Amino acid sequence: AKGVRTVDVLAQRPQQVYRLLWLLALHILIPLLAPEKQVRQRSCSPQASQLYMDQPVLQALLSWAERMCSPFGVNVKNFTSSFADGRAFCYLVGAYCPELLPPSQVRKPEATYQPEAYVPVHEYPSDNGAWSGSYQLQANPEEEAIKHNFKLFRSAVAALGCIPPIVRHKDFSNGATGDERIVAIAAACLFHRLREVTLERRAATSIQCAWKRWQTLGSVDARQRLAAAIKIQSAWRTIRCVARYRRQRAVIIAAQARIRCIQQQRQYLQLRSVTIKMQTQCRRVLARRQLWHLQAVAAAVKIQSAWRTAMCVVLYQRQRCAIIAAQARIRCIQQARKYQLLRHVTIRMQTQRRCVVAFERLVHLRRV
């Protein structure tokens, strides 16, 4: 990661750890939850704010939020002050699920946020360790309205499920604008879940229409044709499932091969370490024998031999410390790579599993 050193992360420096977490979320989590192409298909807003042009995914999310909230009179221009009063979150849910969060229940605070100064958004925190914001607060909105809006949003999120509760009311209380990165991640999770709900509703509607058409069919020939179509669809879905299984199997095989490679590397490093220790012991014995031989010579020769032996010991200690530090660094890098690989594979397996569960639920609904 640019600007992130392994030594700083291992030293548990908060600024570097936060920077690494944000880079992982920006380049892996957010594009996975809210792919840019799918977000842009739902955010055709020509007047969208161009605040995040250096990050297309964030810009697409901002355009989507602005398009969804503009019919309710909320102008979304950033991920800080525009979401501080909770109305943007509520209207995003209300636009897709008005039965869970009616837009009429959302309260508008008396005070509003006024943009004070524009600050370009970067991927990294500022020098003092805090995340840089795009806007600063001038007016403190009514706390009761904000609290009510976030309570509605929390209830709707609990009803929807699959959305982590990372947005809290206290992060926006007392005039605070919150962390724009947390808000961006929450918006991505919200987009992902609302899109799933939309697809589920479309599937349920299709199933209901198909069931109604089935009930209206009066002839046996039409039912036979429909049964044949169902068999063809089942066969096609079976083929897709087999292809998906083969892809997952290939990924698992690659992961196993990687793990075996790492284990072989560890064994090699252990054997190398033992060999180096044995060589060191042999050299030490030879040096002692040579010292004993030189002690039989004149006093001047003995003094020179002792000095050289001391220098060899110091050099050996330095080399040994350098080798130990290099081995520790290599093991740390290998563990980090293993963790990244396992995390990537786990995320892909979880995504595939969720797709399978959704597919099984769809099949079950169609059977019902």
Side-chain angles (χ1 to χ4, degrees):
K2 182 180 178 182
V4 179
R5 298 186 303 174
T6 307
V7 178
D8 297 334
V9 177
L10 293 177
Q12 297 182 358
R13 297 179 181 175
Q15 180 179 357
Q16 301 298 329
V17 174
Y18 295 157
R19 179 181 299 179
L20 178 62
L21 291 176
W22 168 241
L23 289 176
L24 291 175
L26 179 62
H27 297 290
I28 297 178
L29 179 61
I30 295 180
L32 184 63
L33 294 176
E36 180 184 355
K37 183 177 179 181
Q38 296 180 4
V39 177
R40 291 192 180 278
Q41 290 177 355
R42 294 166 173 79
S43 60
C44 302
S45 179
Q47 299 178 354
S49 175
Q50 305 298 320
L51 184 61
Y52 303 96
M53 292 302 296
D54 55 339
Q55 297 298 335
V57 178
L58 296 182
Q59 183 61 39
L61 272 176
L62 185 64
S63 302
W64 168 72
E66 182 176 1
R67 180 175 178 269
M68 292 294 103
C69 297
S70 58
F72 304 101
V74 176
N75 191 11
V76 178
K77 294 298 182 182
N78 52 61
F79 286 116
T80 52
S81 59
S82 298
F83 288 82
D85 57 2
R87 290 189 296 161
F89 287 115
C90 295
Y91 287 142
L92 287 177
V93 178
Y96 286 86
C97 304
E99 70 281 357
L100 291 179
L101 201 159
S104 59
Q105 295 183 4
V106 181
R107 297 181 184 177
K108 181 178 180 181
E110 295 180 357
T112 58
Y113 289 93
Q114 300 295 334
E116 184 180 75
Y118 168 72
V119 180
V121 175
H122 304 287
E123 297 181 358
Y124 317 115
S126 58
D127 297 335
N128 59 1
W131 296 114
S132 58
S134 299
Y135 290 90
Q136 296 181 357
L137 183 66
Q138 287 186 345
N140 184 15
E142 183 182 5
E143 292 295 333
E144 292 298 329
I146 296 178
K147 187 175 181 180
H148 173 75
N149 293 338
F150 277 99
K151 183 177 180 180
L152 292 177
F153 176 68
R154 185 169 61 252
S155 301
V157 166
L160 287 173
C162 300
I163 300 177
I166 58 178
V167 178
R168 301 173 298 177
H169 164 253
K170 64 180 182 179
D171 296 333
F172 299 89
S173 60
N174 297 325
T177 56
D179 193 331
E180 61 181 341
R181 287 156 180 80
I182 297 297
V183 175
I185 295 174
C189 296
L190 193 61
F191 172 83
H192 180 72
R193 182 53 183 160
L194 292 176
R195 178 174 172 271
E196 288 183 347
V197 171
T198 303
L199 295 178
E200 290 174 359
R201 290 186 175 181
R202 290 179 181 175
T205 303
S206 301
I207 293 173
Q208 291 176 354
C209 294
W211 175 250
K212 292 178 181 178
R213 287 195 300 268
W214 172 267
Q215 290 180 340
T216 56
L217 292 176
S219 61
V220 179
D221 295 336
R223 293 186 179 182
Q224 290 178 353
R225 288 194 299 270
L226 184 57
I230 292 174
K231 289 183 180 179
I232 294 173
Q233 290 178 353
S234 300
W236 171 248
R237 294 192 184 101
T238 303
I239 294 173
R240 293 184 61 183
C241 289
V242 170
R244 186 181 303 167
Y245 162 74
R246 290 178 179 175
R247 290 195 298 268
Q248 292 178 353
R249 183 173 178 271
V251 172
I252 294 173
I253 292 174
Q256 291 177 346
R258 179 63 179 175
I259 292 173
R260 294 192 184 101
C261 179
I262 294 174
Q263 292 176 349
Q264 292 294 329
Q265 289 178 354
R266 288 181 179 177
Q267 293 179 358
Y268 163 73
L269 292 176
Q270 291 177 355
L271 293 175
R272 184 174 178 271
S273 176
V274 172
T275 304
I276 291 174
K277 289 181 180 179
M278 294 177 61
Q279 291 176 351
T280 303
Q281 294 295 335
C282 292
R283 289 169 185 166
R284 185 179 297 174
V285 172
L286 292 175
R288 287 179 179 177
R289 290 180 180 177
Q290 185 178 4
L291 178 62
W292 293 340
H293 175 72
L294 292 176
Q295 284 178 352
V297 193
V301 176
K302 291 182 180 181
I303 295 173
Q304 292 177 354
S305 299
W307 173 255
R308 290 169 184 167
T309 303
M311 293 299 295
C312 288
V313 172
V314 172
L315 180 61
Y316 161 73
Q317 294 292 340
R318 292 178 181 176
Q319 291 178 352
R320 183 172 178 272
C321 293
I323 291 172
I324 291 174
Q327 290 176 350
R329 179 64 181 273
I330 291 173
R331 290 170 184 161
C332 179
I333 293 174
Q334 290 176 349
Q335 290 295 332
R337 290 179 179 175
K338 177 182 177 182
Y339 166 75
Q340 292 293 336
L341 178 62
L342 292 177
R343 183 178 180 275
H344 178 67
V345 172
T346 304
I347 291 174
R348 291 188 60 183
M349 292 177 67
Q350 289 176 351
T351 304
Q352 295 294 335
R353 177 58 184 169
R354 289 172 183 165
C355 292
V356 171
V357 171
F359 172 74
E360 292 177 354
R361 187 181 301 172
L362 176 61
V363 172
H364 177 69
L365 292 175
R366 288 192 174 182
R367 290 176 178 175
V368 173

